[in-house]
Amino acid sequence: MTTSAAPAWHLGRTSDRFAGRVALVTGAGGAGIGSAVARRLASEGAAILALESHAGRTATIVDVIAGTYEVPVVGITVDIADRQAVDAALARGSELGVVDILVNNAAINTQGSIFDYDPDVFKEVLDVDLTAAWYLMHRTVSPMRELGRGAIVNVGSVAAYNGGRGREGPYSAAKAGLHEITRSVAIEGGPFGIRCNAVAPGIINSRFLAKHRERFQVELGATPLRRFGDPEEVANVVAFLVSDESSFITGEVITVSGGWYLRP
């Protein structure tokens, strides 16, 4: 089950609330949370620096944003775990101006057990899901400090609360770490007008979920709202957290799960 209708911001600009701001969104392509966030912020006037690991998805999100919202957009295909490549992407994206909104969304996951995980796979998950997010914060907070403002949202997960239920240890460890770094950056950045928060999505509709829906039926029954979320619903929370409407909120992890995390 999904929400009944596409939001108005899918169709074009809805306001200029973020006009003059530059939003960097990782994992911005495809049909998931990153794409929804990029579109949501563009719909209110933000220039978008879209980082994505797949060239085809990069081209698609650039075309959608430029054609639908008519805001400046730069899309770069990059491995965000490659620091030199990230540095080059930031240099190229500087044509948009100083990044004052950062949304760390890109992530990878792997299923398995402590008994058979390949240590290289464990490291790869932490490199992308945790270390790369930290590095982007590290690279963007100094310019934000000079501006005297900045808003960061890290996309965590409810998996951080429960060890991934024993199926996705590296992912849950990375997301738990991301929640804690969120709080750390909030403490350090606060005196300079930099806010840092996180969202912890539950089960969100995606192509993967559609393909394996039967496997997730038990989770549906354990969700108080009796449905899974849509990427747009997470994007709405992110938009709130980077807006002035949340000006006194920092260091928080907002769970967006339809109540799923309440299950015993």
Side-chain angles (χ1 to χ4, degrees), residues 4-5 23 28 31 60 80 101 111 130:
S4 58
T60 297
I80 64 167
I101 296 173
Q111 302 283 314
L130 178 60

Side-chain angles (χ1 to χ4, degrees), residues 121-137:
V121 172
F122 187 96
K123 180 179 183 300
E124 181 183 13
V125 172
L126 265 67
D127 284 348
V128 172
D129 296 5
L130 178 60
T131 306
W134 171 85
Y135 187 66
L136 276 165
M137 287 188 280

Side-chain angles (χ1 to χ4, degrees), residues 162-237:
N162 60 18
R165 298 201 180 279
R167 299 189 299 266
E168 47 189 15
Y171 180 77
S172 62
K175 293 302 186 178
L178 190 59
H179 291 181
E180 288 306 309
I181 288 179
T182 296
R183 299 181 177 105
S184 177
V185 173
I187 293 168
E188 296 182 71
F192 306 103
I194 302 168
R195 297 184 299 108
C196 187
N197 292 289
V199 293
I203 302 174
I204 304 299
N205 284 302
S206 64
R207 290 171 183 161
F208 176 83
L209 184 63
K211 185 177 179 180
H212 300 281
R213 186 162 294 274
E214 288 186 9
R215 170 181 163 189
F216 286 94
Q217 286 308 303
V218 64
E219 307 293 352
L220 184 65
T223 302
L225 290 184
R226 294 298 188 268
R227 67 177 179 85
F228 300 138
D230 288 330
E232 291 82 1
E233 293 176 294
V234 181
N236 288 337
V237 179

Side-chain angles (χ1 to χ4, degrees), residues 51-76:
L51 303 189
E52 168 59 48
S53 61
H54 294 81
R57 295 203 291 256
T58 303
T60 297
I61 192 62
V62 168
D63 288 345
V64 168
I65 289 175
T68 306
Y69 307 110
E70 298 181 341
V71 297
V73 55
V74 173
I76 301 173

